[in-house]
Amino acid sequence: MTQKNEIYVSADGTLRWQGKTYPCALGKGGVVEDKTEGDGATPTGRYRLKRVLYRADKMMRPECALNVTEINATDGWCDDPTHPAYNTQVSLPFAASHEELRRTDNIYDIIVVMSHNDNPPVPYKGSAVFFHLARDGFTPTQGCVAITEEAMRDILKTVTDDTYMVISL
């Protein structure tokens, strides 16, 4: 039975929310129960949608009940499992391995930060597992869940601070 506050993601690339079904891209490593840093896989589990980041220089602010903040040129995300800031947002320049959140492609134009491996982050259990925008053709991600901008905006209008994403095999 589905819960009102849960977004369901299946390993076959479908996302279900409030009676609607959307195609989604998942990790190139498939969907796994035991996520490891760099495996390119999307982890199974139940993750709270925490906050939204977006590119104000490229688009309008998403309509959403979650905290929404702009992505700046100095925003990054630490993906170095040996660093104390592992799996957290960092300010660039940053000496350890990291992702830049202000990318040249559009996939991070809207990012939903989820509660994957964050309380506290466990080294090597995966970082930067986001809900973000899909590439054309829904090509695989590095382990995230990705959908079209239209679908993302549709979903964000209705989520609350107690909405979870449930990813299953």
Side-chain angles (χ1 to χ4, degrees):
M1 178 167 180
T2 61
Q3 298 292 319
K4 183 178 179 183
N5 66 337
E6 293 182 336
I7 298 169
Y8 289 92
V9 175
S10 302
D12 66 359
T14 56
L15 181 149
R16 295 183 326 278
W17 171 243
Q18 294 189 340
K20 295 181 181 177
T21 301
Y22 305 91
C24 65
L26 300 171
K28 64 182 180 182
V31 176
V32 298
E33 291 181 344
D34 190 19
K35 172 78 179 155
T36 304
E37 185 67 38
D39 63 3
T42 301
T44 60
R46 185 175 186 262
Y47 308 108
R48 187 171 66 84
L49 304 187
K50 297 175 67 174
R51 58 193 175 100
V52 177
L53 307 172
Y54 81 105
R55 290 285 302 266
D57 61 316
K58 293 175 71 176
M59 63 176 38
M60 291 183 52
R61 177 187 179 97
E63 186 180 327
C64 185
L66 301 175
N67 182 27
V68 179
T69 56
E70 297 178 12
I71 296 172
N72 297 305
T74 58
D75 289 331
W77 202 272
C78 179
D79 59 11
D80 180 346
T82 65
H83 195 279
Y86 179 60
N87 198 30
T88 64
Q89 191 169 344
V90 295
S91 185
L92 305 179
F94 188 72
S97 179
H98 63 276
E99 282 195 58
E100 291 183 18
L101 298 185
R102 194 169 204 164
R103 295 173 56 121
T104 56
D105 61 15
N106 71 337
I107 67 170
Y108 279 5
D109 286 359
I110 300 176
I111 302 170
V112 180
V113 178
M114 302 189 300
S115 65
H116 172 263
N117 191 29
D118 69 342
N119 192 22
V122 177
Y124 299 97
K125 287 297 183 183
S127 63
V129 176
F130 300 132
F131 181 31
H132 64 72
L133 301 182
R135 291 180 182 87
D136 289 342
F138 293 93
T139 58
T141 69
Q142 294 296 314
C144 299
V145 176
I147 60 174
T148 66
E149 181 182 346
E150 180 182 1
M152 178 69 81
R153 288 184 179 279
D154 188 41
I155 291 167
L156 288 179
K157 287 178 187 176
T158 57
V159 300
T160 64
D161 62 1
D162 69 342
T163 299
Y164 288 79
M165 179 171 284
V166 178
I167 304 168
S168 61
L169 293 173

